[in-house]
Amino acid sequence: ETVVEYRYARNSYTVTVNKGTGIASVAGDGSYQYGAQVTVSATAAEGYGNVTWSGDYKTASFTMPAKNVTVTASAAKQQQTASTYTVTIVVNDETYGTVDRTSVTNVASGTRISTSSNKLTIGQSGSRTRTSSTTTVTATPAANTAEYEYKFSSWQNVPSTVTGDVTITANFSKSERSYTLTVKSASSTMGTVAGGGTYKYGDTATITATAKNGYEFTKWNDGNTESTRTVTVTGAATYTASFARTASQQHTHSYSNWKSNNNGTHTGTCSCGETKTENCTYRNNVCTVCGYRKTSSQSQSSRQSGSGLFNIIRGIFGR
C-alpha cells in the first residue's frame, strides 16, 4: 500500500494600521499568516472619542485573508463640558471681621477673580462663567469699641483665574485706640497745669495743677479738688484747673500808672495785677489823669453837645 503525504506552508501577509482624525496612537500592524486571528487597536487623542475603523475591515478584529490588509482608525471630537470648582472664603479671625459670603460654587474653569479694597469679585465681565452675572464678596471689619479699632487689611491667596478649588482669606487687623487728654488752666496768670497728651485706652495719666505766688488751686472742672490726681483714659477728655487768690492777697484795689488808650480812655494797674479802664477827664482838652489830648473832632463834638444842652435848659426856664 502506498501512502502519499502532502506538506504545505501558509503564506503570510501584511497588516497596515493608519492613524486617522483624532487618533493619538495605533497598534497591531505587522505580518500575519493566512487564516490567523488579527486584532488591532487605537487610542483617541484628548478631546476625541468613539473610535471607528475603515479600509479593508470595519472592525478591530478579523481573520487574516490571503492578501495584504490596510485599516484606518478615526475618532470623533467630543463636546467639552467645562469643569467647575468651588471658591471658599474665610477670615483670619472671626472676631476681627466677617464676609457676606463664605463660598461660591459651580465656578467654571478659567473664571477670573479680582479685588478692589474690601471687595472680591468672581467672574469679571468677559470671563468664562456658567452665568452672565458676577459674584461680589464684601469683607466688613468688626465695629470699633472704645478699646480697639478694627480694619480690613488684605485678601490672601487670590488666583488670577480659577483652575481648581481654592480657599481665599480676608485678613483683618486689630489695634489699640489712643485718645487725647487735654489739661488746661482757667487762668494762666494764676497757675499752670501738666499731664496732657496722647494715651492708649486703659492707660493711667497723672495730671497736676500748680498755683503761682499769691494764688491757690481750687478744683478741676469735674469737681475733683486734688491738685495732683490720677485718671484712667477711656476716651478723649478735657480737665480744666481753676485757681483763686489766697486770703493774704485779697485787698481793696488801688490803681495807678494810668496809661492812655488813645481813644478817650485810660487804663490803670493795681499792685496785685488787676487792671481797670475809665474814661478820660479833661481840662483845656487835656486829660488830667493820663495827659491824652482831645483831637479837633472830639473838641467840636463836645462843644456841640454842650451848646445843645444849654439850649434845652434855656427853653425850659424861658431864658
Side-chain angles (χ1 to χ4, degrees):
E1 181 179 339
T2 303
V3 177
V4 179
E5 188 176 282
Y6 293 92
R7 296 175 180 268
Y8 61 91
R10 294 189 178 187
N11 293 330
S12 294
Y13 300 95
T14 299
V15 173
T16 301
V17 183
N18 295 323
K19 293 191 296 183
T21 301
I23 298 299
S25 63
V26 293
D29 53 353
S31 178
Y32 295 87
Q33 286 184 338
Y34 167 77
Q37 194 66 31
V38 179
T39 299
V40 295
S41 63
T43 301
E46 183 177 359
Y48 290 82
N50 191 23
V51 176
T52 59
W53 296 93
S54 61
D56 293 325
Y57 288 94
K58 310 299 183 185
T59 62
S61 296
F62 53 88
T63 301
M64 190 67 192
K67 67 173 184 177
N68 294 329
V69 173
T70 299
V71 293
T72 301
S74 299
K77 188 174 182 62
Q78 293 181 321
Q79 184 176 2
Q80 292 184 342
T81 301
S83 300
T84 61
Y85 302 100
T86 297
V87 178
T88 303
I89 304 96
V90 299
V91 298
N92 63 321
D93 191 316
E94 292 181 352
T95 63
Y96 290 6
T98 59
V99 289
D100 60 359
R101 189 159 183 171
T102 57
S103 68
V104 180
T105 59
N106 294 325
V107 180
S109 177
T111 298
R112 287 182 286 176
I113 300 180
S114 64
T115 62
S116 177
S117 185
N118 66 326
K119 295 186 182 300
L120 175 78
T121 301
I122 302 171
Q124 288 179 304
S125 176
S127 67
R128 294 168 55 193
T129 59
R130 298 184 69 83
T131 64
S132 59
S133 62
T134 61
T135 300
T136 299
V137 179
T138 302
T140 304
N144 293 334
T145 65
E147 186 174 4
Y148 295 109
E149 180 179 19
Y150 299 91
K151 292 182 178 180
F152 170 79
S153 55
S154 66
W155 293 101
Q156 182 179 341
N157 193 38
V158 181
S160 57
T161 58
V162 175
T163 57
D165 291 338
V166 63
T167 298
I168 298 172
T169 302
N171 291 317
F172 298 92
S173 63
K174 179 179 78 170
S175 59
E176 291 182 284
R177 299 187 70 179
S178 296
Y179 296 95
T180 299
L181 198 66
T182 303
V183 183
K184 300 192 300 183
S185 170
S187 172
S188 59
T189 301
M190 298 182 181
T192 60
V193 293
T198 301
Y199 297 88
K200 290 184 178 180
Y201 178 90
D203 283 353
T204 56
T206 299
I207 59 176
T208 304
T210 304
K212 293 184 178 180
N213 289 337
Y215 301 92
E216 61 185 0
F217 169 77
T218 56
K219 64 178 180 179
W220 295 97
N221 59 311
D222 63 353
N224 186 286
T225 57
E226 297 177 343
S227 60
T228 298
R229 59 186 289 202
T230 299
V231 297
T232 300
V233 177
T234 57
T238 298
Y239 294 90
T240 303
S242 296
F243 302 89
R245 296 182 187 281
T246 59
S248 61
Q249 288 295 318
Q250 295 177 359
H251 64 287
T252 301
H253 297 299
S254 176
Y255 300 98
S256 61
N257 193 28
W258 294 91
K259 294 184 178 180
S260 172
N261 296 319
N262 296 319
N263 61 0
T265 64
H266 45 238
T267 300
T269 304
C270 180
S271 59
C272 69
E274 291 287 340
T275 60
K276 181 179 181 181
T277 299
E278 296 179 342
N279 292 324
C280 291
T281 57
Y282 298 99
R283 180 179 295 170
N284 296 325
N285 292 331
V286 177
C287 180
T288 58
V289 177
C290 67
Y292 175 73
R293 179 179 292 277
K294 283 185 178 181
T295 64
S296 58
S297 60
Q298 288 174 325
S299 297
Q300 178 65 27
S301 176
S302 295
R303 285 196 297 271
Q304 290 176 349
S305 297
S307 175
L309 180 60
F310 174 75
N311 290 334
I312 291 172
I313 295 171
R314 186 173 63 179
I316 293 172
F317 292 97
R319 296 182 179 180

